[in-house]
Amino acid sequence: MRKVNVMFLVLFFGFIAVVNITAPAGAAEKPKKVTTVVADGETVKVNYTLTVDGKVVDSSKGRQPLEFKAGAHQMIPGFEKAVMGMKVGEKKSFKVKPEEGYGPVNPKAFQEVPKNKLPADVTPQAGMTMVAQGKDGKKIPVKIKEVKKDVVVMDLNHPLAGKTLNFDVEVVEIK
């Protein structure tokens, strides 16, 4: 920590004395503005519950609050827009349409995969979700849309694509 030295000349019993007072740097500066609402650049912590079609899909209950930097595109656009301007302790329920969530279902994201490319211990069934590995090494959930004689039709869309997302959010910290 940098310190600021302040010297005073003091007349003390007819003698001039030099008094050196050391104060922390910034002590004489204006106090830093405290953000009271979610705004771009602020680190925010929220408790949340996400429901889709009446079912809880994800929640921070029993876990640490979700932390993100507002305005840094770490969250889906509709979520980020909805929490902007909220205060600590404020609760809000809101809907996020597919266009501001995970996007609409993309028909080009369906791909036929030969059955012999699937793990030998898997019996593919329509509706089954599997985990595939992308070219970048990331694991991607894929859903089997249809099973044909020699191939399976995989849906590579995000599992929440085309869905309206319902959030219940409480802001617990802004820093």
Side-chain angles (χ1 to χ4, degrees):
M1 172 162 82
R2 197 179 117 234
K3 296 188 177 189
V4 176
N5 291 323
V6 181
M7 294 184 7
F8 292 96
L9 292 176
V10 179
L11 183 58
F12 189 73
F13 294 106
F15 297 99
I16 296 177
V18 176
V19 178
N20 189 14
I21 300 174
T22 302
E29 297 173 11
K30 293 180 184 178
K32 192 174 182 181
K33 182 184 171 192
V34 177
T35 303
T36 56
V37 298
V38 176
D40 281 349
E42 299 295 337
T43 299
V44 183
K45 289 184 180 181
V46 298
N47 285 322
Y48 71 96
T49 298
L50 166 61
T51 58
V52 176
D53 300 329
K55 295 178 184 171
V56 175
V57 174
D58 195 12
S59 177
S60 64
K61 286 182 183 174
R63 301 185 313 199
Q64 293 293 318
L66 171 67
E67 183 174 329
F68 64 97
K69 189 168 191 168
H73 308 291
Q74 295 174 341
M75 305 301 295
I76 56 174
F79 183 93
E80 198 161 63
K81 284 180 191 176
V83 298
M84 288 294 188
M86 288 180 70
K87 299 176 185 178
V88 171
E90 185 175 351
K91 294 179 181 181
K92 187 177 191 180
S93 295
F94 55 90
K95 293 181 185 297
V96 175
K97 294 188 178 198
E99 297 75 27
E100 292 192 295
Y102 293 97
V105 173
N106 179 355
K108 292 181 181 177
F110 291 87
Q111 183 177 9
E112 289 190 351
V113 177
K115 283 184 179 177
N116 64 3
K117 296 287 184 185
L118 299 177
D121 62 338
V122 172
T123 304
Q125 296 176 359
M128 178 185 280
T129 300
M130 300 180 69
V131 178
Q133 188 168 336
K135 292 178 184 175
D136 58 0
K138 283 187 178 180
K139 296 194 183 233
I140 306 165
V142 295
K143 192 170 194 172
I144 297 176
K145 181 73 175 166
E146 183 181 354
V147 179
K148 296 181 179 179
K149 183 179 178 186
D150 295 324
V151 297
V152 292
V153 179
M154 297 282 197
D155 180 357
L156 304 177
N157 284 288
H158 186 282
L160 298 175
K163 303 284 186 180
T164 297
L165 312 174
N166 302 289
F167 286 96
D168 291 313
V169 173
E170 176 186 14
V171 176
V172 294
E173 186 178 321
I174 302 171
K175 57 182 178 174

Coordinates of all heavy atoms in Angstrom, one line a residue, residues 130-169:
M130 N -26.9 -38.1 -26.0 CA -25.5 -38.6 -25.9 C -24.6 -37.4 -25.8 O -25.0 -36.3 -26.0 CB -25.2 -39.4 -27.1 CG -26.1 -40.7 -27.3 SD -25.6 -41.6 -28.8 CE -24.1 -42.3 -28.3
V131 N -23.4 -37.7 -25.5 CA -22.4 -36.6 -25.4 C -21.3 -36.9 -26.5 O -20.8 -38.0 -26.6 CB -21.7 -36.5 -24.0 CG1 -20.6 -35.5 -24.0 CG2 -22.7 -36.3 -22.9
A132 N -21.2 -35.9 -27.4 CA -20.2 -36.0 -28.5 C -19.0 -35.0 -28.1 O -19.2 -34.1 -27.3 CB -20.8 -35.6 -29.8
Q133 N -17.9 -35.2 -28.8 CA -16.8 -34.3 -28.6 C -16.6 -33.5 -29.9 O -16.5 -34.1 -31.0 CB -15.5 -35.1 -28.3 CG -14.4 -34.2 -27.9 CD -13.3 -35.0 -27.3 OE1 -13.4 -36.1 -26.8 NE2 -12.1 -34.4 -27.4
G134 N -16.6 -32.2 -29.7 CA -16.4 -31.3 -30.9 C -15.0 -31.3 -31.3 O -14.1 -31.8 -30.7
K135 N -14.7 -30.6 -32.5 CA -13.4 -30.5 -33.0 C -12.4 -29.8 -32.1 O -11.2 -30.0 -32.1 CB -13.4 -29.8 -34.4 CG -14.1 -30.6 -35.4 CD -14.1 -29.9 -36.7 CE -14.9 -30.7 -37.8 NZ -15.1 -29.9 -39.0
D136 N -13.0 -28.9 -31.2 CA -12.2 -28.1 -30.3 C -12.0 -28.9 -28.9 O -11.4 -28.3 -28.0 CB -12.8 -26.8 -30.0 CG -14.2 -26.8 -29.5 OD1 -14.7 -28.0 -29.3 OD2 -14.8 -25.8 -29.2
G137 N -12.5 -30.1 -28.9 CA -12.4 -30.9 -27.7 C -13.5 -30.7 -26.7 O -13.6 -31.5 -25.7
K138 N -14.4 -29.8 -26.9 CA -15.5 -29.5 -26.0 C -16.5 -30.7 -26.1 O -16.8 -31.2 -27.2 CB -16.2 -28.2 -26.3 CG -15.5 -27.0 -25.8 CD -16.4 -25.8 -26.0 CE -15.7 -24.5 -25.5 NZ -16.6 -23.4 -25.7
K139 N -17.1 -31.0 -25.0 CA -18.2 -32.0 -25.0 C -19.5 -31.3 -25.3 O -19.8 -30.2 -24.8 CB -18.2 -32.7 -23.6 CG -16.9 -33.5 -23.4 CD -17.1 -34.4 -22.3 CE -15.7 -35.1 -22.1 NZ -15.6 -36.4 -22.1
I140 N -20.3 -31.9 -26.2 CA -21.5 -31.3 -26.7 C -22.6 -32.4 -26.5 O -22.5 -33.5 -27.0 CB -21.4 -31.0 -28.2 CG1 -20.2 -30.1 -28.5 CG2 -22.7 -30.4 -28.7 CD1 -19.8 -30.1 -29.9
P141 N -23.7 -32.0 -25.8 CA -24.9 -32.9 -25.8 C -25.6 -32.9 -27.1 O -25.8 -31.9 -27.8 CB -25.8 -32.3 -24.7 CG -25.4 -30.8 -24.7 CD -24.0 -30.7 -25.1
V142 N -25.8 -34.1 -27.6 CA -26.6 -34.3 -28.8 C -27.7 -35.3 -28.6 O -27.7 -36.2 -27.8 CB -25.7 -34.9 -30.0 CG1 -24.6 -33.9 -30.3 CG2 -25.1 -36.2 -29.6
K143 N -28.8 -35.0 -29.3 CA -30.0 -35.8 -29.1 C -30.3 -36.6 -30.3 O -30.2 -36.1 -31.4 CB -31.2 -34.9 -28.8 CG -32.4 -35.6 -28.3 CD -33.4 -34.6 -27.8 CE -34.5 -35.3 -27.0 NZ -35.4 -34.4 -26.3
I144 N -30.6 -37.9 -30.1 CA -31.0 -38.7 -31.3 C -32.4 -38.4 -31.7 O -33.3 -38.5 -30.9 CB -30.8 -40.2 -30.9 CG1 -29.4 -40.5 -30.6 CG2 -31.3 -41.1 -32.1 CD1 -29.1 -41.9 -30.2
K145 N -32.6 -37.9 -32.9 CA -33.9 -37.5 -33.4 C -34.6 -38.7 -34.0 O -35.8 -38.8 -33.8 CB -33.7 -36.4 -34.4 CG -35.0 -35.8 -35.0 CD -35.7 -35.0 -33.9 CE -36.9 -34.4 -34.6 NZ -37.9 -33.8 -33.7
E146 N -33.9 -39.5 -34.7 CA -34.5 -40.6 -35.4 C -33.5 -41.7 -35.6 O -32.3 -41.5 -35.8 CB -35.0 -40.1 -36.8 CG -35.7 -41.1 -37.6 CD -36.1 -40.5 -39.0 OE1 -35.9 -39.3 -39.2 OE2 -36.6 -41.3 -39.8
V147 N -33.9 -43.0 -35.6 CA -33.1 -44.1 -35.8 C -33.5 -44.8 -37.1 O -34.7 -45.2 -37.2 CB -33.1 -45.1 -34.6 CG1 -32.2 -46.3 -34.9 CG2 -32.7 -44.5 -33.3
K148 N -32.6 -44.9 -38.1 CA -32.9 -45.5 -39.3 C -32.1 -46.9 -39.4 O -31.4 -47.2 -38.4 CB -32.5 -44.6 -40.5 CG -33.3 -43.3 -40.5 CD -32.9 -42.5 -41.7 CE -33.7 -41.2 -41.8 NZ -33.2 -40.3 -42.9
K149 N -32.2 -47.5 -40.5 CA -31.5 -48.9 -40.6 C -30.0 -48.8 -40.3 O -29.6 -49.5 -39.5 CB -31.8 -49.4 -42.0 CG -31.2 -50.8 -42.2 CD -31.5 -51.4 -43.6 CE -30.8 -52.8 -43.7 NZ -30.9 -53.3 -45.0
D150 N -29.3 -47.9 -41.0 CA -27.8 -47.9 -40.8 C -27.3 -46.6 -40.2 O -26.1 -46.5 -40.0 CB -27.2 -48.1 -42.2 CG -27.4 -49.5 -42.8 OD1 -27.5 -50.5 -42.0 OD2 -27.6 -49.6 -44.0
V151 N -28.2 -45.7 -40.0 CA -27.8 -44.4 -39.5 C -28.7 -43.9 -38.4 O -29.9 -44.4 -38.3 CB -27.7 -43.3 -40.6 CG1 -26.7 -43.6 -41.7 CG2 -29.0 -43.0 -41.2
V152 N -28.2 -42.9 -37.6 CA -29.1 -42.3 -36.6 C -29.0 -40.8 -37.0 O -28.0 -40.3 -37.5 CB -28.6 -42.5 -35.2 CG1 -28.8 -43.9 -34.7 CG2 -27.2 -42.0 -34.9
V153 N -30.2 -40.1 -36.9 CA -30.2 -38.7 -37.1 C -30.0 -38.0 -35.8 O -30.8 -38.1 -34.9 CB -31.6 -38.3 -37.7 CG1 -31.6 -36.8 -38.0 CG2 -31.8 -39.0 -39.0
M154 N -28.9 -37.2 -35.7 CA -28.5 -36.5 -34.5 C -28.9 -35.0 -34.6 O -28.7 -34.4 -35.6 CB -27.0 -36.5 -34.3 CG -26.4 -37.9 -34.1 SD -26.8 -38.4 -32.4 CE -25.6 -39.8 -32.3
D155 N -29.5 -34.5 -33.5 CA -29.8 -33.1 -33.4 C -28.7 -32.4 -32.7 O -28.5 -32.7 -31.5 CB -31.2 -33.0 -32.6 CG -31.6 -31.5 -32.5 OD1 -30.9 -30.6 -32.9 OD2 -32.7 -31.3 -31.9
L156 N -27.9 -31.6 -33.4 CA -26.8 -30.9 -32.8 C -27.2 -29.5 -32.2 O -26.3 -28.8 -31.8 CB -25.7 -30.8 -33.8 CG -25.2 -32.1 -34.4 CD1 -24.1 -31.9 -35.5 CD2 -24.7 -33.1 -33.3
N157 N -28.4 -29.1 -32.3 CA -28.9 -27.9 -31.7 C -28.6 -27.9 -30.2 O -28.6 -29.0 -29.5 CB -30.4 -27.6 -31.9 CG -30.6 -27.2 -33.3 OD1 -30.3 -26.1 -33.7 ND2 -31.2 -28.1 -34.1
H158 N -28.5 -26.7 -29.6 CA -28.4 -26.6 -28.1 C -29.7 -27.2 -27.6 O -30.8 -27.0 -28.1 CB -28.2 -25.2 -27.7 CG -28.0 -25.1 -26.2 ND1 -29.0 -25.2 -25.3 CD2 -26.9 -24.8 -25.5 CE1 -28.5 -25.0 -24.1 NE2 -27.2 -24.8 -24.2
P159 N -29.6 -28.0 -26.5 CA -30.9 -28.6 -25.9 C -32.0 -27.6 -25.6 O -33.2 -28.0 -25.6 CB -30.4 -29.2 -24.6 CG -28.9 -29.5 -24.8 CD -28.5 -28.3 -25.7
L160 N -31.7 -26.3 -25.4 CA -32.7 -25.3 -25.1 C -33.0 -24.4 -26.3 O -33.7 -23.4 -26.2 CB -32.3 -24.4 -23.9 CG -32.1 -25.2 -22.6 CD1 -31.6 -24.3 -21.5 CD2 -33.4 -25.9 -22.2
A161 N -32.5 -24.8 -27.5 CA -32.8 -24.0 -28.7 C -34.3 -24.1 -29.0 O -34.9 -25.2 -28.8 CB -32.0 -24.6 -29.9
G162 N -34.9 -23.1 -29.4 CA -36.3 -23.0 -29.7 C -37.2 -23.0 -28.5 O -38.4 -23.0 -28.7
K163 N -36.7 -22.9 -27.3 CA -37.5 -22.9 -26.1 C -37.6 -21.5 -25.5 O -36.6 -20.8 -25.5 CB -36.9 -23.9 -25.0 CG -36.7 -25.3 -25.5 CD -38.0 -26.0 -25.5 CE -37.8 -27.5 -25.8 NZ -39.0 -28.2 -25.8
T164 N -38.7 -21.2 -24.9 CA -38.9 -20.0 -24.1 C -38.4 -20.4 -22.7 O -38.8 -21.4 -22.1 CB -40.3 -19.5 -24.1 OG1 -40.7 -19.2 -25.4 CG2 -40.5 -18.3 -23.1
L165 N -37.5 -19.6 -22.2 CA -36.9 -19.8 -20.9 C -37.5 -18.9 -19.8 O -37.7 -17.7 -20.0 CB -35.4 -19.5 -20.9 CG -34.6 -20.1 -22.1 CD1 -33.2 -19.6 -22.2 CD2 -34.7 -21.6 -22.1
N166 N -37.9 -19.5 -18.7 CA -38.5 -18.7 -17.6 C -37.5 -18.7 -16.4 O -37.2 -19.7 -15.9 CB -39.8 -19.4 -17.2 CG -40.8 -19.6 -18.3 OD1 -41.3 -18.6 -18.8 ND2 -40.9 -20.8 -18.9
F167 N -37.2 -17.5 -16.0 CA -36.2 -17.3 -15.0 C -36.8 -16.6 -13.8 O -37.6 -15.7 -13.9 CB -35.0 -16.4 -15.4 CG -34.1 -17.1 -16.4 CD1 -34.2 -16.9 -17.7 CD2 -33.0 -17.8 -15.9 CE1 -33.3 -17.5 -18.6 CE2 -32.1 -18.4 -16.7 CZ -32.3 -18.2 -18.1
D168 N -36.4 -17.1 -12.6 CA -36.7 -16.4 -11.3 C -35.3 -16.1 -10.8 O -34.5 -17.0 -10.6 CB -37.4 -17.3 -10.3 CG -38.9 -17.6 -10.8 OD1 -39.5 -16.6 -11.1 OD2 -39.3 -18.8 -10.7
V169 N -35.0 -14.8 -10.6 CA -33.7 -14.3 -10.3 C -33.7 -13.4 -9.0 O -34.6 -12.6 -8.9 CB -33.1 -13.6 -11.5 CG1 -31.7 -13.0 -11.1 CG2 -32.9 -14.5 -12.7

